[in-house]
Amino acid sequence: MSAAFPMIFRNLKKTPLIMNCIFMNCHTVGSTIFVDNEPLTITNCTFINNHAEYHGGAIWCGSAVNCTFINNTASLMGGAIMLTLVDAEVINSTFENNKAIADGGAIGFIGGNVKIEGCIFTNNTAKLHGGVFVSTLGAEIYESTFTNNSGGERGGVMCVYGGKVMIENSNFANNTASESG
């Protein structure tokens, strides 16, 4: 599938829910699923080999629960998920081999808070900052595993600007960055 945004949600009166779907081989200008700064919950979905020319190879704004993200890419930020100006949760999800050319190999976010719980991040890369994610506000991370992720310059796992991060009961192994973190 090739399109600007295959699925767009704007000015909604209720929070949309996307469940039990598979999104494969979508090539988009924006993202496979785009939500204009409104809450969205995606549950039990799989995203494989999707690409966005800008941000969020699979999702641009939205919470993910029990989802799998494999081989998704973005030319700028958020190889799998991009969050802007929203708070979101990423729960019991797996991120493997996702890539951002700029920042946030798996997740990139600006201007919101994110809670990550029970997730597995493996082999996610960003050319510049944060193999897993880049933040401007902050993140809470619980019971998650980060293995073999890389940030080309800074933050093998994460690069946080101007925010705070709380991490509890999580494991980190073989994550790398060429300059720091």
Side-chain angles (χ1 to χ4, degrees):
M1 174 188 284
S2 202
F5 296 99
M7 298 179 76
I8 297 177
F9 298 94
R10 287 194 166 140
N11 302 317
L12 304 171
K13 300 205 186 302
K14 294 184 178 183
T15 301
L17 174 63
I18 298 173
M19 298 178 64
N20 305 318
C21 296
I22 298 172
F23 298 88
M24 292 180 66
N25 302 317
C26 297
H27 185 99
T28 65
V29 172
S31 188
T32 302
I33 298 173
F34 174 79
V35 181
D36 194 9
N37 299 325
E38 297 184 36
L40 166 70
T41 301
I42 299 168
T43 304
N44 299 322
C45 291
T46 300
F47 296 85
I48 301 173
N49 296 327
N50 300 296
H51 175 75
E53 292 298 323
Y54 294 107
H55 305 295
I59 302 168
W60 190 338
C61 289
S63 292
V65 179
N66 298 323
C67 292
T68 301
F69 300 87
I70 300 172
N71 296 329
N72 298 289
T73 60
S75 293
L76 295 175
M77 290 181 68
I81 298 175
M82 181 67 194
L83 302 169
T84 53
L85 305 173
V86 296
D87 293 341
E89 295 183 335
V90 182
I91 310 293
N92 298 327
S93 294
T94 301
F95 295 81
E96 185 176 331
N97 297 323
N98 298 290
K99 182 178 180 180
I101 302 305
D103 302 321
I107 302 173
F109 63 102
I110 298 172
N113 292 292
V114 68
K115 175 183 173 185
I116 296 171
E117 185 172 355
C119 293
I120 298 170
F121 295 88
T122 308
N123 297 323
N124 299 287
T125 61
K127 187 173 181 180
L128 297 177
H129 307 112
V132 174
F133 67 88
V134 175
S135 166
T136 56
L137 285 184
E140 296 177 11
I141 302 170
Y142 305 99
E143 301 172 357
S144 294
T145 301
F146 302 85
T147 308
N148 297 327
N149 300 288
S150 64
E153 292 179 7
R154 295 182 181 96
V157 170
M158 67 187 81
C159 191
V160 180
Y161 294 102
K164 68 178 187 172
V165 175
M166 181 177 72
I167 302 171
E168 290 184 8
N169 301 320
S170 295
N171 297 307
F172 299 83
N174 302 319
N175 300 289
T176 60
S178 64
E179 292 181 21
S180 59

